């Protein structure tokens, strides 16, 4: 068993695939939780006042960006390594490990910031319920959390663009 | 620019009150002060009266109009969404005319009568159906219902439960001396005629009681059951006819919808004036009005008031009077961006209106974040469409105009980045036409992300510098020149000096000197308010810690690059997915479907992101440097209608 694991983790291709998976999985979980939380909170307001659906939808969309950032990083990894076009060679261990490392920021920060942004947005639903004219303040408060998802996305992206893709001779 | 305000105090005759309020409303430039805030007239507060009874009546009437309009709404011909319905245009003087109100009341009465008629017809229909149902089992019986007895005998209509067999019933009845004739049955049981001698009535029912039969109240009607059923059917048909006629009346009544709309809006305006009346000091013959108005409107108001028997005075106030309501006035190209400031908070009186500085930065940042010529075009066209066709409130109008302007900026930046719906032209060219055409790009964000990162931060630094300059201006205006130079000004030295360290040798040395001189100035002056010498030094050194604030502020602008990249990369993902099937008919269909859906989604998400994050850069990074919010908005007595559009132009009085 442990031999198998060691084999896996010294395989460049496996590490690269793992990187793409990490980026998409964790940020996706974060956004799903965040968007879900806001949706639950919004449903209560909509039963009272269906006209607020539009404003609430905007609030609900905010914690969804982490998942998109993660998806993008995953996609770029697939593009850069040739997973998409089927021209993927046998990557070196270093290349695979670098790609995995580059996927970590967007994955981990996306997970946590997605959840927290969801909480801030869900709290913002209360603002929409009581003072719908102040919805932009709720949006800004949520965007404060998103900053860190954006920063981690930027770093992941810059790292991946600059990874030297080396294949075994 | 914050408009300069002055106080208006105005004393007139009660008989002119309604007309003066009407004219002030037309001009829409005076905000009534609530009497409690008028400092020097505290003694007169007792003369302020709320016309609650009048207001209550008006509200009742308004809700009647609302419910009738709700009733008629399904019968009004409509095209598209409510937001895009054209509104009737009404000259201001036509609001509040008695004729229109009477006509509207007439329509309300008509609508309510029709509603009542329909519901009573429906009720009758239901009771006819019930009667018919009760008679159906008896249709075999040709005994007229009015005959309930003969000289010796009596007749009863019975219902017998299914559990009792016909034989048992006959035997039991026979023993007691009564005859039973079954007329009909249904799922629940059977319906029987019972005939017995008058003297046996008690014994017959005594005998039948254990079987659980019940007597039906059918007697007293005229004619045989069959005749009655036919009668009910005929009447039902008549009622249905009448119902159809009544329903057909609705579209006819709904033609008066515009009259109702006008009357509703008239009522809305007079309610507004009634509320305004509650802010006046009043005696039997006179009233005193205290208000705020922009100084530039003084001539207009003087002209108006000179027509009446009255006394008035204008009082100037210092420009930082905290009570002063805030009205912003800017050139046309800045005005839309006031929406951004209004969403945050209006500036305090005596501080700065940031809009002229927000406008260019918002324009540029938004464009860099969305950065796609195709999306910019969508935003511009969508915005123009909404401005032309939809009913937006004043602040909604500003926001949509600002976004449409940002669409222009997005187109410009899209062309700089060479992206039109991502790399759609290149992908289409290579998939379907086998050519390697590509849109020319000045800077390709995927190839040169660092160039754009530096550009973003440089713009951020400029933004910060402008904010610092505004902060210095405010401090100087408040005679704090020392603070302006040493709390803000020296940071220019430090920041520019630190940047010059990146240059070649001579510049590097100059930069070093500048930064150190600035830092020294901070250390020496930052603790100047502290008494203790040790505290002075430590506070001074801690002052240098502010550098982290400047540093993180500038770094925060890196989001411009990130959001720009996100737009571009998502669009290219959509294009890749759309062209997966290759150069065939399936590929064309796929590209149209995936492309339309995907790009619309990407446009929506990234436009939202660009809007929110550009606003954040203004609110947090820029406003943080100098802005003083918390001003109260100027809310003049003005024409605010809901269903119609008021036309102010002809100003002459019609008596």
């Amino acid at each position: 068993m442990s031999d198998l694991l060691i084999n896996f983790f010294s395989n460049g291709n496996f590490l690269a695939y793992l990187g793409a998976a990490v980026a998409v999985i964790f940020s996706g979980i974060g956004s799903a939780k965040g968007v879900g939380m806001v949706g639950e909170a919004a449903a209560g307001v909509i039963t009272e006042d269906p006209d607020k659906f539009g404003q609430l939808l905007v609030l609900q969309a905010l914690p969804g960006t982490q998942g998109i950032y993660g998806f993008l990083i995953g996609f770029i990894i697939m593009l850069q390594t040739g997973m998409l076009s089927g021209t993927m060679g046998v990557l070196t261990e270093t290349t695979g490990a670098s790609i995995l490392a580059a996927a970590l920021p967007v994955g981990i920060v996306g997970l946590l910031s997605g959840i927290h942004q969801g909480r801030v947005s869900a709290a913002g639903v209360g603002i929409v319920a009581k003072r719908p004219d102040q919805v932009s303040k709720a949006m800004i408060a949520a965007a404060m959390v998103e900053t860190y998802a954006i920063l981690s996305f930027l770093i992941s992206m810059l790292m991946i663009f600059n990874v030297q893709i080396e294949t075994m001779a | 620019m914050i408009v300069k305000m002055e106080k208006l105090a105005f004393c007139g005759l009660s008989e002119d009150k309604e007309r003066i309020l009407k004219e002030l409303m037309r001009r829409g430039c005076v905000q009534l002060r609530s009497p409690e805030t008028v400092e020097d007239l505290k003694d007169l507060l007792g003369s302020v009266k709320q016309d609650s009874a009048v207001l209550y009546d008006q509200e009742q009437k308004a809700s009647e109009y609302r419910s009738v309009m709700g009733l008629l709404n399904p019968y009004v011909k409509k095209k598209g969404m409510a937001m895009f319905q054209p509104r009737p245009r009404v000259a201001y003087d036509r609001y509040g005319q008695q004729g229109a109100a009477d006509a509207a009341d007439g329509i309300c009465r008509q609508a309510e009568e029709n509603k009542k008629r329909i519901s009573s017809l429906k009720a009758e229909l239901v009771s006819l159906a019930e009667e018919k149902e009760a008679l159906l089992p008896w249709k075999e019986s040709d005994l007229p219902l009015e005959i309930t007895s003969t000289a010796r005998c009596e007749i009863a209509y019975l219902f017998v439960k299914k559990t009792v067999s016909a034989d048992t019933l006959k035997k039991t009845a026979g023993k007691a001396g009564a005859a039973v004739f079954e007329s009909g049955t249904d799922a629940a049981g059977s319906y029987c005629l019972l005939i017995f001698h008058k003297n046996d009535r008690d014994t017959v029912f005594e005998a039948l009681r254990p079987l659980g039969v019940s007597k039906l109240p059918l007697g007293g009607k005229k004619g045989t059951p069959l005749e009655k059923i036919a009668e009910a059917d005929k009447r039902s048909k008549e009622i249905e006819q009448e119902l159809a006629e009544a329903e057909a009346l609705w579209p006819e009544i709904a033609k008066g919808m515009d009259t109702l709309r006008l009357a509703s809006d008239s009522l809305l305006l007079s309610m507004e004036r009634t509320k305004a009346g509650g802010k006046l000091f009043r005696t039997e013959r006179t009233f005193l009005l205290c208000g705020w108005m922009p100084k530039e409107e003084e001539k207009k108001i003087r002209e108006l008031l000179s027509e009446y028997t009255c006394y008035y005075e204008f009082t100037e106030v210092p420009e930082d009077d905290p009570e002063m309501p805030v009205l912003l006035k800017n050139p046309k190209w800045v005005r839309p961006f006031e929406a951004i400031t209004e969403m945050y908070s209006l500036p305090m009186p005596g501080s700065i209106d940031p809009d002229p500085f927000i406008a260019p930065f918002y324009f540029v940042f938004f464009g860099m974040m969305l950065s796609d010529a195709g999306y910019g075009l969508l935003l511009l066209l969508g915005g123009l469409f909404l401005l032309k066709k939809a009913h937006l409130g004043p602040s909604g109008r500003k926001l949509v105009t600002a976004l449409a302007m940002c669409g222009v900026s997005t187109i410009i930046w899209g062309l700089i980045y060479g992206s039109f719906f991502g790399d759609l032209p290149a992908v289409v060219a290579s998939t379907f036409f086998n050519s390697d055409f590509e849109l020319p790009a000045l800077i390709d964000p995927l190839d040169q992300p660092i160039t754009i990162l530096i550009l973003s931060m440089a713009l951020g630094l400029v933004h910060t510098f402008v904010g610092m300059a505004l902060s210095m201006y405010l401090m100087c205006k408040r005679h704090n020149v020392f603070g302006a130079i040493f709390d803000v000004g020296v940071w220019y030295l430090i920041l520019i000096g630190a940047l010059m360290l990146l240059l070649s040798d001579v510049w590097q040395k100059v930069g070093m000197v500048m930064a150190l001189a600035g830092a020294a100035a901070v250390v020496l002056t930052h603790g100047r308010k502290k008494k203790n010498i040790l505290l002075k030094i430590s506070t001074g050194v801690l002052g240098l810690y502010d550098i982290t604030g400047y540093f993180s502020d500038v770094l925060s602008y890196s989001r411009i690059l990130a959001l720009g990249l996100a737009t571009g990369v998502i669009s290219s993902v959509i294009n890749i997915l759309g062209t997966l099937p290759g150069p065939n008919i399936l590929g064309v269909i796929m590209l149209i479907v995936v492309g339309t859906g995907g790009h619309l989604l990407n446009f929506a998400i990234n436009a939202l992101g660009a809007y929110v994050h550009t606003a954040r850069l203004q609110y947090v990074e820029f406003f943080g440097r100098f802005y003083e919010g918390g001003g109260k908005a100027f809310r003049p007595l003005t024409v605010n209608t809901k269903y119609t559009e008021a036309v102010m132009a002809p100003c002459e009085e019609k008596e």
Side-chain angles (χ1 to χ4, degrees):
Chain A
M1 184 66 195
S2 63
D3 278 354
L4 194 65
L5 275 183
I6 289 171
N7 273 338
F8 272 156
F9 282 94
S10 51
N11 178 331
N13 285 23
F14 175 77
L15 290 174
Y17 273 108
L18 189 62
V22 160
V24 178
I25 291 172
F26 289 109
S27 61
I29 294 176
S31 272
K33 281 199 95 158
V35 172
M37 246 182 270
V38 189
E40 282 171 29
V45 178
I46 292 173
T47 47
E48 286 289 314
D49 186 359
D51 289 346
K52 289 190 175 132
F53 178 70
Q55 284 183 323
L56 291 170
L57 193 67
V58 169
L59 268 188
Q60 196 183 358
L62 285 177
T65 35
Q66 279 83 350
I68 294 174
Y69 295 149
F71 164 75
L72 278 186
I73 295 297
F75 200 86
I76 294 170
I77 292 175
M78 292 169 76
L79 267 186
Q80 295 282 89
T81 53
M83 288 178 201
L84 264 190
S85 49
T87 54
M88 190 179 186
V90 181
L91 301 182
T92 63
E93 231 171 286
T94 322
T95 309
S98 311
I99 288 176
L100 176 58
L104 290 180
V106 84
I108 296 172
V109 179
L111 172 64
L112 293 174
S113 75
I115 294 171
H116 283 274
Q117 195 175 354
R119 283 161 67 163
V120 177
S121 290
V125 168
I127 298 183
V128 175
K130 287 180 187 149
R131 304 195 55 180
D133 51 320
Q134 301 294 326
V135 59
S136 59
K137 286 173 192 170
M139 282 159 63
I140 299 294
M144 302 296 284
V145 185
E146 188 172 317
T147 303
Y148 307 100
I150 292 179
L151 294 180
S152 65
F153 164 65
L154 192 58
I155 293 300
S156 284
M157 183 107 138
L158 291 177
M159 290 202 308
I160 290 196
F161 273 131
N162 293 304
V163 168
Q164 296 295 321
I165 306 288
E166 287 167 6
T167 46
M168 305 268 204
Chain B
M1 232 188 83
I2 301 175
V3 174
K4 193 156 170 39
M5 293 276 167
E6 56 184 11
K7 285 177 181 167
L8 164 72
F10 160 71
C11 194
L13 298 176
S14 295
E15 62 208 53
D16 294 333
K17 190 186 86 184
E18 230 1 70
R19 269 179 61 205
I20 289 176
L21 284 179
K22 243 181 196 173
E23 288 309 310
L24 286 181
M25 199 174 218
R26 183 205 297 276
R27 281 156 185 83
C29 58
V30 175
Q31 173 182 340
L32 300 190
R33 297 167 67 192
S34 13
E36 310 85 66
T37 62
V38 184
E39 281 298 323
D40 35 356
L41 294 176
K42 285 261 187 265
D43 309 343
L44 292 179
L45 270 179
S47 68
V48 177
K49 281 192 290 275
Q50 305 295 331
D51 303 301
S52 320
V54 180
L55 200 60
Y56 178 77
D57 287 347
Q58 286 171 334
E59 268 161 12
Q60 289 292 308
K61 193 97 218 161
S63 85
E64 185 190 339
Y65 285 159
R66 257 200 309 279
S67 72
V68 170
M69 280 160 85
L71 211 58
L72 295 183
N73 208 23
Y75 303 98
V76 180
K77 283 198 191 107
K78 271 175 285 198
K79 291 183 222 106
M81 279 155 46
M83 202 175 153
F84 299 112
Q85 296 296 315
R87 293 185 183 184
R89 290 164 64 82
V90 176
Y92 178 61
D93 291 311
R94 278 185 56 211
Y95 289 104
Q97 281 173 352
Q98 194 52 44
D102 291 344
D105 287 348
I107 291 166
C108 283
R109 232 173 296 130
Q110 222 179 330
E112 269 151 24
E113 265 166 29
N114 203 34
K115 190 181 158 195
K116 224 190 267 169
R117 184 164 162 227
I118 287 177
S119 64
S120 79
L121 285 176
K122 278 185 177 160
E124 202 183 337
L125 208 55
V126 170
S127 74
L128 277 175
E130 277 169 5
E131 190 187 331
K132 188 181 159 188
E133 205 180 341
L135 284 171
L136 268 179
W138 303 101
K139 66 180 180 211
E140 303 289 325
S141 145
D142 46 6
L143 188 69
L145 288 165
E146 67 264 29
I147 301 175
T148 53
S149 60
T150 60
R152 300 272 157 78
C153 290
E154 243 179 74
I155 300 164
Y157 292 86
L158 288 191
F159 167 70
V160 187
K161 274 188 261 172
K162 212 163 59 180
T163 46
V164 182
S165 75
D167 277 349
T168 328
L169 183 68
K170 271 195 178 141
K171 269 183 200 153
T172 321
K175 266 182 203 160
V180 174
F181 303 92
E182 194 182 88
S183 168
T185 51
D186 67 8
S190 55
Y191 299 83
C192 305
L193 269 175
L194 188 71
I195 303 178
F196 49 89
H197 195 272
K198 272 179 183 166
N199 297 341
D200 293 341
R201 183 196 290 145
D202 291 345
T203 35
V204 169
F205 282 103
E206 195 62 34
L208 287 179
R209 183 174 302 140
L211 298 183
V213 301
S214 46
K215 217 172 145 189
L216 298 175
L218 286 179
K221 290 175 179 146
K222 284 207 164 166
T224 63
L226 212 53
E227 279 166 16
K228 289 300 289 180
I229 289 172
E231 212 173 282
D233 278 343
K234 197 175 145 224
R235 179 74 191 126
S236 297
K237 272 208 184 101
E238 278 169 24
I239 290 176
E240 260 157 28
Q241 184 75 27
E242 273 181 66
L243 256 180
E245 273 166 30
E247 291 283 355
L249 260 183
W250 284 128
E252 208 51 43
I253 302 175
K255 279 185 189 152
M257 195 70 163
D258 279 350
T259 316
L260 279 178
R261 288 189 177 125
L262 174 61
S264 285
D265 275 349
S266 300
L267 201 57
L268 213 62
L269 296 186
S270 40
M271 274 160 74
E272 207 49 49
R273 285 195 295 269
T274 314
K275 281 182 206 153
K279 290 183 178 170
L280 304 178
F281 299 95
R282 281 187 281 182
T283 64
E284 199 178 319
R285 310 291 293 275
T286 63
F287 69 95
L288 171 62
L289 177 155
C290 295
W292 287 102
M293 53 174 285
K295 190 167 166 47
E296 57 201 16
E297 308 281 3
E298 197 180 301
K299 198 169 143 253
K300 222 155 103 182
I301 294 299
R302 250 180 225 284
E303 261 169 31
L304 166 69
L305 296 183
S306 61
E307 292 171 23
Y308 297 90
T309 317
C310 62
Y311 167 80
Y312 56 87
E313 63 180 24
F314 299 98
T315 325
E316 294 210 9
V317 292
E319 64 161 19
D320 55 354
D321 184 333
E323 285 293 312
M324 187 176 97
V326 177
L327 175 69
L328 304 176
K329 192 179 179 190
N330 282 301
K332 231 177 174 173
W333 58 274
V334 174
R335 208 172 302 145
F337 294 92
E338 285 172 3
I340 313 293
T341 311
E342 281 161 12
M343 265 184 265
Y344 183 83
S345 172
L346 285 171
M348 278 303 273
S351 68
I352 302 178
D353 175 11
D355 296 310
F357 308 98
I358 283 184
F361 285 107
Y362 200 94
F363 182 79
V364 171
F365 292 161
F366 189 98
M368 286 180 84
M369 286 184 191
L370 196 52
S371 68
D372 187 295
Y375 295 171
L377 206 59
L378 279 184
L379 192 60
L380 178 62
L381 294 179
L384 290 180
F385 175 76
L386 280 182
L387 285 179
K388 204 165 155 48
K389 294 280 179 192
H391 304 293
L392 306 160
S395 57
R397 249 194 129 65
K398 277 186 195 168
L399 188 63
V400 172
T401 317
L403 288 178
M405 285 169 77
C406 288
V408 175
S409 162
T410 309
I411 295 176
I412 296 172
W413 282 100
L415 294 177
I416 292 176
Y417 288 5
S419 93
F420 181 83
F421 293 107
D423 51 359
L424 188 65
V427 170
V428 169
S430 72
T431 319
F432 296 104
F433 303 103
N434 231 343
S435 85
D436 49 2
F437 169 80
E438 250 180 65
L439 271 187
L442 211 56
I443 316 169
D444 186 340
L446 288 178
D447 285 348
Q448 302 153 275
I450 302 302
T451 316
I452 297 175
L453 185 64
I454 292 172
L455 181 64
S456 304
M457 294 205 194
L459 283 171
L461 196 66
V462 175
H463 204 203
T464 307
F465 278 173
V466 172
M468 287 159 67
L470 291 175
S471 160
M472 283 175 76
Y473 166 78
L474 264 183
M475 284 175 161
C476 289
K477 204 167 107 182
R478 290 167 187 164
H479 312 294
N480 182 7
V481 181
F482 193 81
I485 294 172
F486 289 102
D487 288 345
V488 185
V490 288
W491 283 101
Y492 281 109
L493 269 186
I494 299 174
L495 293 173
I496 296 175
L499 273 182
M500 282 163 67
L501 291 178
L502 301 172
L503 299 174
S504 58
D505 20 55
V506 187
W507 290 110
Q508 209 173 10
K509 276 185 191 126
V510 177
M512 179 84 91
V513 173
M514 276 168 71
L516 285 178
V522 170
V523 172
L524 289 176
T525 62
H526 201 74
R528 62 183 181 275
K529 280 179 191 137
K530 297 278 187 276
K531 294 260 161 55
N532 186 321
I533 181 79
L534 281 176
L535 270 180
K536 263 184 203 291
I537 295 172
S538 58
T539 314
V541 174
L542 277 179
L544 280 178
Y545 189 69
D546 286 353
I547 187 86
T548 57
Y550 289 96
F551 195 62
S552 66
D553 275 6
V554 171
L555 282 183
S556 176
Y557 289 82
S558 65
R559 76 185 67 230
I560 297 178
L561 164 67
L563 287 170
L565 277 180
T567 320
V569 179
I570 297 176
S571 346
S572 59
V573 170
I574 294 165
N575 293 335
I576 290 174
L577 292 179
T579 48
L580 272 183
N584 47 40
I585 187 74
L586 185 66
V588 176
I589 296 170
M590 182 92 166
L591 186 62
I592 292 173
V593 174
V594 174
T596 316
H599 281 298
L600 276 180
L601 190 70
N602 187 27
F603 167 70
I605 286 180
N606 279 293
L608 174 65
Y611 161 69
V612 170
H613 284 282
T614 313
R616 178 225 140 102
L617 286 179
Q618 308 291 342
Y619 294 162
V620 181
E621 274 75 20
F622 188 54
F623 280 5
R625 295 265 155 245
F626 70 97
Y627 191 63
E628 294 162 3
K632 287 190 274 289
F634 178 61
R635 299 200 189 289
L637 182 65
T638 185
V639 179
N640 214 340
T641 53
K642 199 170 164 191
Y643 306 105
T644 56
E645 202 176 316
V647 185
M648 300 308 209
C651 227
E652 61 264 17
E653 292 277 316
K654 274 183 234 149
E655 288 295 317

